[in-house]
Amino acid sequence: MQQQALSAIVAWVRLERATETFHADLKKRFGITGLQLAVLRICAERPQLPLAALRKALVMHPATLGQSIDELRRMDLVTVKTDPRDRRARLVGLTEAGTALLAKAPLAGPTRLREIDHEVARLDRLKLALEDAVELFGLGEWAPGRKDGA
């Protein structure tokens, strides 16, 4: 069992390091974070996306997502407009500059799963493995959407 545990730890660390290196490369080459790239990719799917739908898709705290979107807006990669049907709601849209950046940015990370067709059984296995990781690592208490409502 110890060898399997060590192998699992090595695989996890490899994933963490690859993600960290990818995010550092994004920041260096494009001036954006991994979260901001995910926002751009999701915004590319619809012309105007409600901010609430984006928050739900990314499972993000409103303030964290808001800061990322504000920075993307300042960089002229997205627009943020008031929804004419609900003045309280905001719509986020991709600009031409955002579309151009997406064409150059590597397609990597979790949002890749939305862009590339994968074998359904493989995606099911990945989902179960990631859910297992949360439980086996003892992180369930801090996981978004946990059963006690926090």
Side-chain angles (χ1 to χ4, degrees):
M1 183 174 84
Q2 288 300 323
Q3 183 59 43
Q4 288 85 355
L6 182 58
S7 294
I9 291 167
V10 168
W12 176 263
V13 169
R14 185 170 180 251
L15 173 63
E16 278 190 320
R17 296 300 173 268
T19 301
E20 290 168 3
T21 304
F22 172 65
H23 288 174
D25 186 56
L26 278 178
K27 194 68 171 166
K28 180 180 174 185
R29 289 174 48 201
F30 302 101
I32 62 171
T33 66
L35 170 60
Q36 290 168 332
L37 179 60
V39 167
L40 294 175
R41 293 228 183 266
I42 293 170
C43 285
E45 295 174 6
R46 291 176 45 192
Q48 295 291 311
L49 187 66
L51 186 55
L54 193 54
R55 187 171 51 245
K56 186 176 179 181
L58 291 168
V59 191
M60 294 296 308
H61 186 278
T64 303
L65 183 58
Q67 290 170 355
S68 287
I69 289 174
D70 284 345
E71 183 62 25
L72 290 171
R73 186 185 45 74
R74 282 191 289 278
M75 294 165 47
D76 193 37
L77 298 174
V78 299
T79 59
V80 180
K81 299 177 183 175
T82 301
D83 186 339
R85 297 169 295 169
D86 179 355
R87 307 289 296 158
R88 298 167 296 169
R90 301 285 178 258
L91 298 173
V92 182
L94 203 57
T95 64
E96 286 185 31
T99 301
L101 187 146
L102 279 180
K104 293 185 268 179
L107 184 55
T111 55
R112 178 184 168 94
L113 299 177
R114 296 168 63 98
E115 303 277 337
I116 306 255
D117 285 335
H118 297 279
E119 183 183 325
V120 172
R122 190 173 184 196
L123 292 173
D124 287 340
R125 288 191 308 271
L126 177 61
K127 175 186 175 285
L128 291 174
L130 293 172
E131 288 172 350
D132 261 357
V134 170
E135 181 184 326
L136 290 170
F137 293 177
L139 298 172
E141 179 179 342
W142 298 278
R146 66 181 203 243
K147 303 257 187 296
D148 66 6

